[in-house]
Amino acid sequence: MARSATDPADLLPLTPAVFHILLALADGERHGYSIMQEVEARTGKKVRLGPGTLYGSIKRMLADQLIEESDERPDPALDDERRRYYRLTRFGRYVAVAEARRLENLVGAARAKKLLRA
């Protein structure tokens, strides 16, 4: 069920899958398989989003208005017409920034407790 939020903090903390998807879309629109590949490459194959996790997360993210489906399509000769492309909404970018700051604060707390080196 979609959460009607106007403040990015209302959606925090994000699930790891949702944050990875937002990161994958931060520099431009992608289709689902491309999102999976980006996450896998960025994490050195430590995080692999399966289709169920990916598309379940995308469904919730669409409902929460974090992402939207793009109407723009690449050249049909270069693309499969069945692919759906997604991009961040302005609100989705705000939520991604809020989550990054939240995680940054947690890392700062871990450093302060000498769990990590500065």
Side-chain angles (χ1 to χ4, degrees):
M1 174 154 45
R3 297 180 280 184
S4 179
T6 55
D7 181 356
D10 292 344
L11 295 178
L12 304 184
L14 299 178
T15 66
V18 167
F19 191 54
H20 280 293
I21 294 167
L22 291 175
L23 287 175
L25 296 173
D27 54 1
E29 58 186 56
R30 294 177 179 273
H31 56 80
Y33 185 64
S34 176
I35 293 169
M36 290 169 64
Q37 291 177 313
E38 152 74 19
V39 170
E40 207 171 295
R42 186 171 17 83
T43 64
K45 297 187 178 185
K46 290 181 182 170
V47 176
R48 295 181 183 199
L49 298 178
T53 299
L54 176 70
Y55 291 105
S57 296
I58 284 174
K59 182 178 178 181
R60 288 187 300 279
M61 294 168 75
L62 287 165
D64 286 339
Q65 299 180 346
L66 300 177
I67 62 173
E68 61 190 5
E69 195 169 327
S70 174
D71 293 331
E72 298 172 24
R73 304 292 304 189
D75 180 344
L78 303 173
D79 190 43
D80 183 333
E81 65 186 35
R82 296 170 296 178
R83 286 183 174 153
R84 300 196 187 285
Y85 284 77
Y86 304 97
R87 64 177 165 230
L88 283 182
T89 61
R90 182 177 296 191
F91 181 63
R93 186 168 297 279
Y94 292 152
V95 170
V97 168
E99 178 69 350
R101 287 185 175 140
R102 185 188 74 80
L103 294 170
E104 184 178 50
N105 287 335
L106 282 174
V107 169
R111 285 195 172 111
K113 296 289 186 175
K114 309 284 189 240
L115 295 175
L116 297 171
R117 293 186 180 144

